[in-house]
Amino acid sequence: MDIPIYTVDAFTKVPFEGNPAAICLVDPEHDLSEAQMQKVAAEMNLSETVFLRNKEKNGSFSKGNSFHIRWFTPTNEVNLCGHATLATAAVLYNELRNPSSSVKFDSLSGELVVSKDGNGFVMNFPLNETIVQDKADYHKLLEVSRHCNLMNLD
């Protein structure tokens, strides 16, 4: 089975700078197991490796706009990775010339949408619920930090 893999440096136009990510385009008929994805991510040895599948059985990476996305580090799967998602959109738009005005990614964090914006891209992020914190917890943490500094326990 052949899987196209792109290496993209996000947030830069200069090679070997920015945040690198590997993008694997997985044909829906050749699905990879989680163990296989983990092995590929370990082999790529970048902070994240993306596995992208078209949601439509006969869909195309160069024409589709709805995909499944998963992110793996060299050691485990993660729920969300912004730079690797933007790098994936860059592959779809810049390398595969996808004409869609926006692309949707189903992920463990919910639906993410990336749209073209001039020469760049804009991505929505999931909104996490706000949790009220007790100020006393922060004061305790600061007190412990002060004691560690006094004892040279940095």
Side-chain angles (χ1 to χ4, degrees):
M1 162 181 13
D2 291 332
I3 300 172
I5 301 177
Y6 295 82
T7 302
V8 178
D9 293 320
F11 307 126
T12 186
K13 292 182 181 186
V14 180
F16 310 111
E17 292 190 11
N19 290 8
I23 317 303
C24 302
L25 304 179
V26 181
D27 186 315
E29 293 180 15
H30 299 105
D31 204 12
L32 296 174
S33 70
E34 192 167 313
Q36 289 172 314
M37 288 187 271
Q38 189 61 68
K39 286 180 181 180
V40 171
E43 180 72 19
M44 296 306 297
N45 200 31
L46 295 174
S47 61
E48 275 79 25
T49 297
V50 168
F51 294 89
L52 191 71
R53 284 187 306 116
N54 198 301
K55 286 179 69 174
E56 303 295 324
K57 184 163 179 76
N58 296 320
S60 162
F61 291 110
S62 61
K63 295 179 183 168
N65 69 347
S66 189
F67 304 93
H68 292 287
I69 191 169
R70 294 177 76 176
W71 307 273
F72 284 78
T73 72
T75 60
N76 61 287
E77 185 172 12
V78 294
N79 291 337
L80 177 65
C81 182
H83 84 276
T85 304
L86 290 169
T88 302
V91 168
L92 294 173
Y93 286 126
N94 299 340
E95 299 299 320
L96 302 177
R97 304 292 180 217
N98 188 308
S100 303
S101 60
S102 65
V103 289
K104 298 175 185 172
F105 301 106
D106 281 344
S107 76
L108 292 176
S109 297
E111 184 179 82
L112 305 171
V113 179
V114 178
S115 304
K116 294 182 199 179
D117 184 28
N119 292 331
F121 307 105
V122 174
M123 184 172 83
N124 72 321
F125 278 93
L127 181 62
N128 293 328
E129 182 180 334
T130 303
I131 299 171
V132 178
Q133 299 293 313
D134 184 352
K135 289 181 184 179
D137 290 340
Y138 292 109
H139 292 294
K140 291 175 190 173
L141 182 61
L142 289 173
E143 190 62 31
V144 168
S145 176
R146 278 190 223 117
H147 286 296
C148 288
N149 285 339
L150 290 173
M151 298 171 59
N152 292 321
L153 297 176
D154 296 340

